[in-house]
Amino acid sequence: MFLNCHTYHSLRYGTISVEDLVQLAVEYQLKVLALTDINTVTGIYQFYKLCQDRGIQPIVGVDIRVENEQHYICLAKNPKGIGEVNRLLTDYNCEGIEIPKVNPQLENCFVIYSLQNIPEVLLEHEFIGIRHDELNLLVKPELKSFIHKMVILHPVTFKTDEEYELHKVLRAIDGNTLFTKLAETDHCRNNESFVDKKKLLDQFTDYPQIIENTKIIVAECSFNFDFKTPKNKKHFTDSKESDFKLLSKLAYEGLARRYPDRNRQAVERVEKELTVIDQLNFCGYFLITWDIIQYSNRMGFMHVGRGSGANSIIAYCLGISDICPLELDLYFERFLNLNRKTPPDFDIDWSWKNRDAILEYIFDKYGKDHVAFCGTNVEFKRKSRFRELGKVFGLPKDELDQLSKKPKEQHDQNAVVQDIYKYEQMMIGFPNQRSMHSCGILISEEPITNYSALEFPPKEFPIVQFDMHTAEEIGLEKFDILSQRGLGTIKDAVNLIEEKRGITIDIEDTAISKNEARCNEFLSIGKTIGCFYIESPAMRGLLRRLKCDNYKVLVAASSIIRPGVAQSGMMREYIFRHNHPGQFEYFHEVFEKELGETYGIMVYQEDVIKIALHYGGVSAENGDVLRRAMSGKGRSLSALQQLKDDFFESCKKKGHPEQLSQEVYRQIESFAGYSFCKAHSASYAVESYQSLYLKAYYPIEFMVSAINNGGGFYRTEVYVHEAKMAGAKIHNPCVNLSEFQTTVYGTDVYLGLMHIEKLEAAVKLFIPQERKEHGDYKSLEDFVKRVNIGIETLQTLIFVGAFRFTGKQKHELLIDARFLLSKNQHKTKMISLFEEPQKDYQLPLIERNPFEDAFDEIEILGFPVSYSIFDLLKIKYRGDVMVKDLLKYHKKQVRMLAYLISRKHVPIKNKYGNRDDMYFGTWIDANGDYFDTAHFPDSLSKFPFKEGGIYLLLGTVEVDYHFPTVTITKMEKMPLIADPRYSMDEEKAKEVENGLREDVSLTFRAPYPQEFEIGLPRKKLI
C-alpha cells in the first residue's frame, strides 16, 4: 500500500528522516514498507537495517522524476533491480542519456505509473498506481480497461499538516520562487501522509484485483543485502595467492632497501605483518595503494603517507609511508589486527596541484565502472536556512542579511519573521545537497552502480549517493587521496632554488627531514611562519614554551596541539613536565619505561595500547580494541564493560594494587578518546622539518613558493612580510618582470599578476605569455596593441605601478591609456611590421603625495608595498616597548603599537562555571617582529576589536615557559593619514583604512577544562 515513501533525502521535497519514517511504520503497525526517494538511493541501506530491526519487510526503489515531472516509481524485486535503477540514473546524471518516460529496461524491478503517465503498452512487470481519491475516475472506459494492472498507491511525503507547509516551503526554495507563487503542480497533494492501513484497504473493497496486485508486488520484492562481505576490489593481480606472493616480494625488497643491515627486529616485524595482512585478505588493498604510489613516483610527485597506516613496516618498505615504525615504537595493531571487523584506510597527501592527476590515474587504471568518490550530505546551515527562507517569503536583501548574519535579538520581530523562525527550526539537520567527500575514493570489485547511482558534482569526479559511513557499513573501504598546499610549497621551493641558484636539494634526505641544527634553532624560537602545520600562533607558542629543538619533541608537539588532546589537559601537563623534569614522579615504573619519552603522559593513541599491554597484560590487539571502544568507534556499552572487566582481571593476576589499576584505567578512559595517532604526528613532523629546512637556508625562495601556493594559516600579506624580513626587496607587479605567480630574481621579489583581484584570469595569464613569445613591452602603446584589454583593467595596472618601466607618472599614463584605447577600440590587436609611433606631447609636472602609491596598493593588493603600514600613521609614536625586549617585562605593564595580523576566538569558563569568550591576537610591531596578546571578556567588553589596522595596546606581560604574552587591559585602533587621493572627500579618504584586512578564526567547541580539572597525579602511587 505504502509503495511510494519519501524521506528528506528527496532533497527539498520530503520532510521525514529515515528513522522517523520507519518509526511511523511501527506506530501504524505496518509489516511492509517501501522507500522510494526521488532519484536517489541515499537512504536505502539505513532503511533496510532499521526495518529489519523492527520486523518490517523493507522494499527499496526510486521515484524517477525529470525536471520535477514524475515518470514512474521503480521497486526492486532483488538487489539486481536496484543496480538497474542505479545505472538508469547514472547514465542520465553522468552521460546525459535521456531517461525514457515509459517502458524503461528494468527486468528486475516493478514499474508503477501514475494516472497522469500511462504508457500505450504496459509490460508484464509494469503497473498503474491509483490513489484512493482517484477511484471515482475508474468509471471512465479508458481507465476501466486498466484495472487488472492497477495497484494501490498512497504516497508518503510528510507527517503533519505543519510539515505539509514545510514541504511547500522546500519546494519554493528548490524552485527559487516565492511561496505565494507556487503552482499546484510544484508540490505534492495535501494527503501524502500515513493513514490507517485498514481504512485505506476498505476504500478499495470494490476492486479486489487492485488489492491482489498490490499483494503480489509486495510478496515478490525482496532486497536481501549482505553487509558482511567486503565489496572492495578483491585482488590487485588475478588471485589472492599471487597478491600475497607479490606483496611478500615487494616487502622484502623494501626491507633490504630500508634496513640494509637486515635488522632482525625489522625482519620479524615484516613476517608478522604479512601473516596478519594475508589472514584479513588485505593484500590487494596494500598493493593498490603501492601501485598509486609508484605512479606518483614516476611522475615526480611528492606524497606523505600519514595516519595509522604509518604504523606498518610493510607500508614503510613499500614506500607508502616514510616513517620507520621501529624508530618511533609504533604498534602495527593500531592500524590492523585480527580483532578489527573492518580494515582501516591509508591516508595519503599530495600537493593540491598534483591530486587531480592521481585521481585521473586511479579512474583510468581501475575503470570508471568501479571507481567513485564517497558522497556527503550537505545540510542547510543556519545562515542558508535564514537566507533561503527569507527569499521564499519575499524579504529584501538588507533584511536577508540581517536575518542570516545577526543574532535573533537584532531581528525585526514581525509575523513573517516568526514564520521563518518556525520553519528554520524544522529544517535543522535537513540535507540541502549532495556533494563530494573531500578525499574518500571507493574501488569496487563489482560495478559500483550495483550499490549506488552516481552523480557528477561541479568537481567533475563521479560520486556515490551515500556517505563514508554508509560505504563502510556495506563493505566498501575508502582510499583517502588528500591534497594540501604544504607539499606544493616544498616542491615548488626545491624547483625554484634549482632554477634560480643551480642548487639541487634532496629534500627527502633524513638529515634534512629529521634533525638539522639550524632547523632545531628555528623551532626553539618559533620561527616557523610558512612551515607546514607549525606556523599557527598556537603552535609557535607551544614550540617556544617547549624550547623544541629535536624531531621527537616536534612529533609530540604536533600531537598535543590538537584540540582534543589539549582539551583533556595533556598539553598543559606535558609542558610542565618537559620544563620541570625533576618536579614530578612516574607513578609506576611501566609508565617511566614505556612513556618516558612523553613524561608518563598518554599523548598518543599508541600509548593507550602500550599501557594496556605492559601494565594491564592484555594483548596489543585487545589494547587497540580498548582504545577504539573508548573513543566511541563502534562498540556497545556491554562490549566496553567486558573489556574493562578483562583489564582489571588481568591487572589482578599481575599483582597490581586495585587503587593503582583504577587510576591507570581512569587515565586510559580520560585520554583514549582525545589522544592522537603518533604515526600521523610523525608524518606531519617530517614535512614540517622539510619546509623548515627550506625556510632556514633559502628563505626568499621558500616564501615566494608559499605565496604561490596560497599560503597557509595567514593571508598573503604576512608571507610577503616574511620574505621582506628575510632580505627580499618587494616589488609591485610589472608587465615586463612579473609572471602570473610571484617570482624572484636574486633578492628582488616581483609580486605576481595573480594578486591583482580586479584582473581577469585570462588576462593575468596572457600578459606574461605574450611577453615570452614576442619580447618585452616597449611602452604603454605597445602593450595596448598586443593585449586586448579594457580601460578599467588597464587603469588598475597603471595604479598598481605595472608600467613604471616607462618612466612616466601615473596621471600621464592614464591620459595615454584613454587616448590609445579610444583610438584603437575598433582595431584588432596584432603586431604590425610598420608601426606609427604615438605623437609625444608634454604634460605639466604634477606633484604627487608620496603616500598615494601606498593607498593604491592597499586598494588593489590588500596591503602596502612601497611603504610600511606604520609609515601611514598620523602619529610618529611607535610604542614604549618592542617585541625583542618583551621577555624582560614579566609581570610588568607595557604600552605597544602594533599591526593586527590575526585573532582567534576561544571559549572559556568564567568564575561561575559558565561559558564566556576571549580572543588571542597576533601582531607585528614597527620592527616587523611578531607577538601575541590575550583579550579576556572584561577587557573586550570595553575595548573590542575594530577589524584590521594598527592599535595602541596597554597590557601586562606574562612569560609562560619562555613565551611572552601580553594580557590586554586597554586598546584603541589608531587612525591613518587621510587618503591623499581623495583630499576633498572626507568619507572617501577613510575607505581604504576601513577596509584593512584581518584574519579571524571562530571556535564553536566547549571550553577546555581548567588546570584543577585535569587530575593527573604528579606523585608515585603505591
Side-chain angles (χ1 to χ4, degrees):
M1 276 58 76
F2 301 100
L3 302 179
N4 184 207
C5 296
H6 307 114
T7 69
Y8 58 23
H9 291 301
S10 295
L11 300 179
R12 297 177 292 282
Y13 192 97
T15 67
I16 312 172
S17 68
V18 178
E19 297 95 327
D20 285 350
L21 181 71
V22 176
Q23 181 57 36
L24 283 167
V26 172
E27 292 170 8
Y28 279 89
Q29 299 180 347
L30 301 179
K31 297 299 181 186
V32 181
L33 185 66
L35 175 61
T36 55
D37 273 317
I38 297 171
N39 293 353
T40 184
V41 295
T42 302
I44 65 171
Y45 298 104
Q46 181 189 14
F47 171 77
Y48 178 87
K49 281 192 164 185
L50 288 171
C51 283
Q52 286 212 317
D53 290 344
R54 303 299 183 89
I56 297 172
Q57 177 193 337
I59 298 174
V60 300
V62 178
D63 186 337
I64 301 291
R65 303 193 183 196
V66 177
E67 295 181 354
N68 293 329
E69 181 186 354
Q70 186 185 59
H71 283 10
Y72 32 77
I73 300 153
C74 302
L75 299 176
K77 297 178 183 179
N78 50 49
K80 287 183 180 178
I82 206 68
E84 290 174 350
V85 179
N86 287 339
R87 282 182 277 281
L88 180 76
L89 288 169
T90 299
D91 288 345
Y92 176 69
N93 294 334
C94 301
E95 306 294 338
I97 299 172
E98 189 175 339
I99 293 176
K101 193 167 183 178
V102 296
N103 307 134
Q105 294 183 1
L106 302 170
E107 297 177 4
N108 292 280
C109 290
F110 288 111
V111 176
I112 301 173
Y113 299 93
S114 69
L115 292 184
Q116 289 71 42
N117 184 36
I118 301 176
E120 292 182 8
V121 177
L122 273 175
L123 303 178
E124 183 181 352
H125 63 284
E126 297 184 331
F127 293 84
I128 299 166
I130 184 162
R131 304 182 186 216
H132 67 85
D133 55 359
E134 296 172 335
L135 287 172
N136 61 327
L137 299 175
L138 293 184
V139 297
K140 296 181 179 180
E142 63 270 24
L143 291 180
K144 190 178 288 187
S145 63
F146 286 110
I147 289 176
H148 71 290
K149 290 288 285 183
M150 286 186 175
V151 295
I152 300 171
L153 184 64
H154 185 86
V156 175
T157 300
F158 54 87
K159 290 184 289 188
T160 63
D161 290 344
E162 194 172 52
E163 282 195 8
Y164 176 55
E165 296 303 309
L166 173 62
H167 159 77
K168 290 196 287 186
V169 166
L170 291 170
R171 299 309 300 135
I173 290 173
D174 188 61
N176 195 26
T177 188
L178 292 173
F179 182 77
T180 53
K181 289 191 175 182
L182 279 177
E184 289 290 323
T185 54
D186 291 332
H187 56 81
C188 74
R189 301 184 197 177
N190 62 3
N191 60 359
E192 291 194 10
S193 59
F194 278 111
V195 296
D196 182 78
K197 174 185 172 183
K198 186 177 183 304
K199 289 181 180 178
L200 181 61
L201 283 172
D202 286 346
Q203 297 183 65
F204 286 86
T205 52
D206 292 337
Y207 300 98
Q209 182 66 61
I210 294 178
I211 296 175
E212 188 59 28
N213 288 343
T214 307
K215 289 180 178 178
I216 289 170
I217 285 181
V218 167
E220 292 191 24
C221 286
S222 176
F223 182 68
N224 291 316
F225 190 82
D226 176 14
F227 285 85
K228 294 182 179 178
T229 304
K231 311 299 187 300
N232 275 45
K233 181 173 174 58
K234 291 181 181 177
H235 312 303
F236 178 73
T237 60
D238 57 356
S239 68
K240 176 183 176 180
E241 292 72 26
S242 55
D243 271 5
F244 181 70
K245 186 176 179 181
L246 176 58
L247 182 63
S248 300
K249 174 178 176 290
L250 294 171
Y252 284 110
E253 287 175 354
L255 180 69
R257 186 173 61 255
R258 295 288 200 183
Y259 304 95
D261 58 348
R262 295 292 288 178
N263 181 309
R264 183 62 198 162
Q265 187 184 1
V267 174
E268 291 174 355
R269 177 77 172 254
V270 166
E271 292 170 352
K272 181 183 86 168
E273 289 192 17
L274 283 172
T275 301
V276 174
I277 293 167
D278 185 42
Q279 281 184 257
L280 291 173
N281 297 316
F282 212 41
C283 293
Y285 192 94
F286 267 81
L287 288 170
I288 290 170
T289 308
W290 166 81
D291 174 61
I292 296 168
I293 297 301
Q294 292 305 298
Y295 172 75
S296 174
N297 292 341
R298 290 196 299 273
M299 296 297 292
F301 300 157
M302 284 186 71
H303 80 277
V304 171
R306 58 178 176 84
S308 61
N311 287 56
S312 166
I313 199 169
I314 301 293
Y316 182 54
C317 291
L318 266 57
I320 296 171
S321 159
D322 286 319
I323 300 300
C324 171
L326 302 184
E327 177 189 2
L328 295 173
D329 195 19
L330 302 178
Y331 284 64
F332 177 60
E333 289 78 8
R334 167 65 186 86
F335 177 61
L336 202 61
N337 64 70
L338 298 177
N339 284 328
R340 292 197 72 148
K341 301 300 181 187
T342 57
D345 47 42
F346 283 112
D347 297 329
I348 306 175
D349 285 357
W350 277 272
S351 164
W352 63 290
K353 295 178 178 178
N354 305 140
R355 180 172 178 255
D356 281 359
I358 296 295
L359 294 175
E360 286 169 8
Y361 172 76
I362 295 170
F363 276 87
D364 290 343
K365 170 92 178 186
Y366 298 101
K368 66 176 185 177
D369 293 334
H370 297 268
V371 185
F373 264 93
C374 279
T376 180
N377 289 314
V378 181
E379 296 179 358
F380 282 101
K381 301 294 187 274
R382 180 189 179 277
K383 282 186 179 180
S384 66
R385 291 198 300 271
F386 275 113
R387 185 164 288 280
E388 294 294 345
L389 288 167
K391 286 194 292 185
V392 162
F393 286 101
L395 296 185
K397 184 181 181 304
D398 58 337
E399 289 188 44
L400 287 179
D401 291 340
Q402 185 189 59
L403 274 178
S404 62
K405 295 178 181 178
K406 295 183 178 179
K408 285 187 176 182
E409 302 79 53
Q410 299 179 28
H411 294 172
D412 183 5
Q413 302 296 323
N414 56 47
V416 172
V417 170
Q418 293 302 317
D419 278 344
I420 288 173
Y421 284 167
K422 177 177 69 175
Y423 294 121
E424 185 269 332
Q425 284 297 302
M426 294 173 73
M427 287 169 61
I428 292 174
F430 273 43
N432 179 29
Q433 61 187 30
R434 276 180 293 279
S435 185
M436 189 172 82
H437 186 276
S438 60
C439 57
I441 290 279
L442 305 174
I443 305 177
S444 61
E445 177 70 18
E446 297 179 12
I448 205 158
T449 48
N450 284 4
Y451 313 111
S452 172
L454 303 182
E455 298 181 4
F456 250 148
K459 291 188 178 179
E460 297 188 355
F461 286 105
I463 64 169
V464 295
Q465 292 182 322
F466 45 72
D467 62 20
M468 57 178 280
H469 303 294
T470 300
E472 184 176 311
E473 280 185 2
I474 69 174
L476 280 167
E477 298 299 328
K478 61 184 172 63
F479 294 77
D480 277 345
I481 308 298
L482 303 107
S483 69
Q484 47 150 288
R485 295 182 181 273
L487 286 172
T489 297
I490 291 170
K491 185 69 173 177
D492 285 359
V494 169
N495 292 341
L496 190 61
I497 293 160
E498 186 167 12
E499 175 193 343
K500 299 294 184 179
R501 296 203 191 188
I503 299 172
T504 302
I505 300 169
D506 179 8
I507 200 61
E508 296 182 20
D509 179 358
T510 54
I512 289 173
S513 60
K514 289 282 183 68
N515 194 19
E516 199 282 329
R518 191 184 293 186
C519 292
N520 289 340
E521 179 190 345
F522 275 39
L523 278 175
S524 67
I525 59 174
K527 194 173 181 180
T528 56
I529 285 182
C531 298
F532 175 77
Y533 202 69
I534 56 173
E535 66 165 339
S536 71
M539 191 64 180
R540 290 187 296 106
L542 176 60
L543 293 173
R544 290 180 67 179
R545 287 180 174 97
L546 296 173
K547 280 199 172 178
C548 175
D549 62 355
N550 64 77
Y551 171 70
K552 288 193 174 180
V553 174
L554 178 60
V555 173
S558 299
S559 181
I560 63 176
I561 195 66
R562 302 281 295 187
V565 184
Q567 186 174 345
S568 72
M570 284 187 287
M571 180 168 76
R572 193 72 199 159
E573 186 63 20
Y574 182 91
I575 294 169
F576 172 82
R577 295 187 180 193
H578 180 80
N579 283 282
H580 304 290
Q583 294 184 27
F584 75 95
E585 298 174 357
Y586 293 95
F587 60 87
H588 191 274
E589 53 267 21
V590 167
F591 281 72
E592 183 171 10
K593 180 181 178 185
E594 299 300 331
L595 305 183
E597 184 182 302
T598 55
Y599 313 108
I601 302 170
M602 282 181 266
V603 167
Y604 309 113
Q605 292 172 348
E606 288 83 351
D607 295 342
V608 174
I609 302 174
K610 284 182 183 180
I611 295 305
L613 173 63
H614 296 287
Y615 176 86
V618 302
S619 67
E621 292 89 343
N622 283 332
D624 185 57
V625 173
L626 184 66
R627 176 197 64 79
R628 286 175 60 81
M630 289 183 169
S631 59
K633 296 190 175 179
R635 292 284 169 179
S636 66
L637 290 175
S638 59
L640 182 56
Q641 185 61 48
Q642 183 61 50
L643 287 166
K644 183 176 181 179
D645 293 343
D646 291 345
F647 174 81
F648 280 107
E649 183 63 30
S650 179
C651 289
K652 189 175 180 180
K653 288 179 181 176
K654 289 176 72 73
H656 294 312
E658 176 73 15
Q659 181 189 359
L660 183 61
S661 297
Q662 289 283 0
E663 172 58 26
V664 171
Y665 190 82
R666 186 194 72 79
Q667 289 189 35
I668 291 174
E669 200 169 33
S670 299
F671 298 164
Y674 295 126
S675 53
F676 196 51
C677 175
K678 185 176 184 180
H680 192 108
S681 292
S683 302
Y684 271 4
V686 169
E687 187 177 345
S688 298
Y689 250 104
Q690 289 170 336
S691 55
L692 188 57
Y693 177 85
L694 296 169
K695 179 182 174 72
Y697 287 95
Y698 308 96
I700 296 175
E701 289 84 358
F702 176 72
M703 295 317 305
V704 165
S705 299
I707 291 166
N708 289 337
N709 279 274
F713 188 88
Y714 306 95
R715 60 186 182 271
T716 300
E717 177 183 6
V718 178
Y719 301 104
V720 171
H721 172 73
E722 277 292 288
K724 189 174 182 181
M725 295 292 285
K729 185 177 181 183
I730 310 298
H731 299 272
N732 283 313
C734 170
V735 295
N736 273 339
L737 289 166
S738 289
E739 304 293 338
F740 172 77
Q741 294 187 323
T742 296
T743 192
V744 58
Y745 306 94
T747 58
D748 290 302
V749 171
Y750 282 81
L751 296 174
L753 299 174
M754 63 185 280
H755 300 297
I756 306 176
E757 291 182 7
K758 294 179 181 178
L759 229 61
E760 292 179 13
V763 175
K764 296 176 188 179
L765 292 166
F766 181 79
I767 290 171
Q769 184 59 39
E770 164 66 19
R771 187 182 72 226
K772 285 183 179 67
E773 292 177 6
H774 299 109
D776 285 355
Y777 301 104
K778 300 179 181 65
S779 63
L780 181 66
E781 180 183 16
D782 182 41
F783 179 85
V784 168
K785 288 175 180 175
R786 292 162 61 181
V787 180
N788 195 357
I789 198 168
I791 185 62
E792 288 188 10
T793 305
L794 188 57
Q795 284 179 171
T796 298
L797 286 171
I798 291 170
F799 280 127
V800 86
F803 295 99
R804 56 191 180 277
F805 69 90
T806 63
K808 291 187 174 183
Q809 287 187 314
K810 288 181 181 179
H811 76 281
E812 292 181 83
L813 290 167
L814 290 170
I815 293 172
D816 287 349
R818 291 192 173 276
F819 176 78
L820 288 167
L821 285 183
S822 64
K823 184 176 74 171
N824 295 294
Q825 61 183 339
H826 300 300
K827 295 182 181 180
T828 303
K829 301 289 184 286
M830 62 176 65
I831 297 176
S832 172
L833 292 174
F834 305 101
E835 292 287 357
E836 288 186 22
Q838 182 184 343
K839 291 180 180 178
D840 199 14
Y841 49 85
Q842 292 294 320
L843 288 173
L845 189 65
I846 296 177
E847 284 292 327
R848 277 176 55 83
N849 186 305
F851 294 126
E852 285 187 43
D853 288 340
F855 281 89
D856 282 339
E857 291 152 7
I858 296 172
E859 187 173 333
I860 296 170
L861 301 173
F863 53 90
V865 176
S866 304
Y867 293 89
S868 160
I869 188 72
F870 290 93
D871 295 332
L872 305 182
L873 276 172
K874 276 187 174 181
I875 59 173
K876 299 296 182 185
Y877 176 75
R878 293 296 180 264
D880 296 342
V881 176
M882 307 307 283
V883 172
K884 61 184 176 62
D885 298 317
L886 274 180
L887 287 172
K888 304 174 186 175
Y889 287 84
H890 180 48
K891 297 293 184 182
K892 294 179 182 177
Q893 185 170 275
V894 295
R895 193 168 60 155
M896 303 179 72
L897 197 75
Y899 180 49
L900 180 59
I901 298 299
S902 66
R903 57 183 166 108
K904 180 177 177 60
H905 165 253
V906 178
I908 60 171
K909 291 180 182 179
N910 61 26
K911 60 184 178 182
Y912 305 108
N914 299 320
R915 179 190 169 110
D916 220 327
D917 300 297
M918 68 170 291
Y919 277 91
F920 287 110
T922 299
W923 313 73
I924 59 169
D925 68 6
N927 292 336
D929 295 322
Y930 300 88
F931 71 102
D932 292 88
T933 56
H935 304 253
F936 288 93
D938 288 348
S939 167
L940 283 170
S941 65
K942 299 172 186 173
F943 304 99
F945 284 94
K946 297 177 181 177
E947 299 183 326
I950 297 175
Y951 287 70
L952 181 62
L953 306 171
L954 183 70
T956 303
V957 178
E958 303 285 345
V959 179
D960 182 39
Y961 300 111
H962 333 292
F963 178 65
T965 301
V966 183
T967 301
I968 299 300
T969 50
K970 295 180 182 180
M971 70 176 182
E972 189 60 50
K973 188 174 176 180
M974 304 304 290
L976 300 184
I977 60 172
D979 187 340
R981 302 172 304 168
Y982 304 106
S983 57
M984 305 298 290
D985 188 335
E986 188 175 333
E987 189 174 326
K988 195 81 173 167
K990 284 287 183 184
E991 274 188 6
V992 167
E993 179 182 351
N994 294 336
L996 285 172
R997 299 179 185 178
E998 61 165 339
D999 298 325
V1000 184
S1001 301
L1002 297 177
T1003 310
F1004 300 100
R1005 58 167 170 76
Y1008 288 161
Q1010 298 176 52
E1011 192 165 348
F1012 69 85
E1013 297 176 280
I1014 296 167
L1016 191 64
R1018 290 179 181 167
K1019 296 293 181 181
K1020 187 172 183 177
L1021 295 185
I1022 305 301

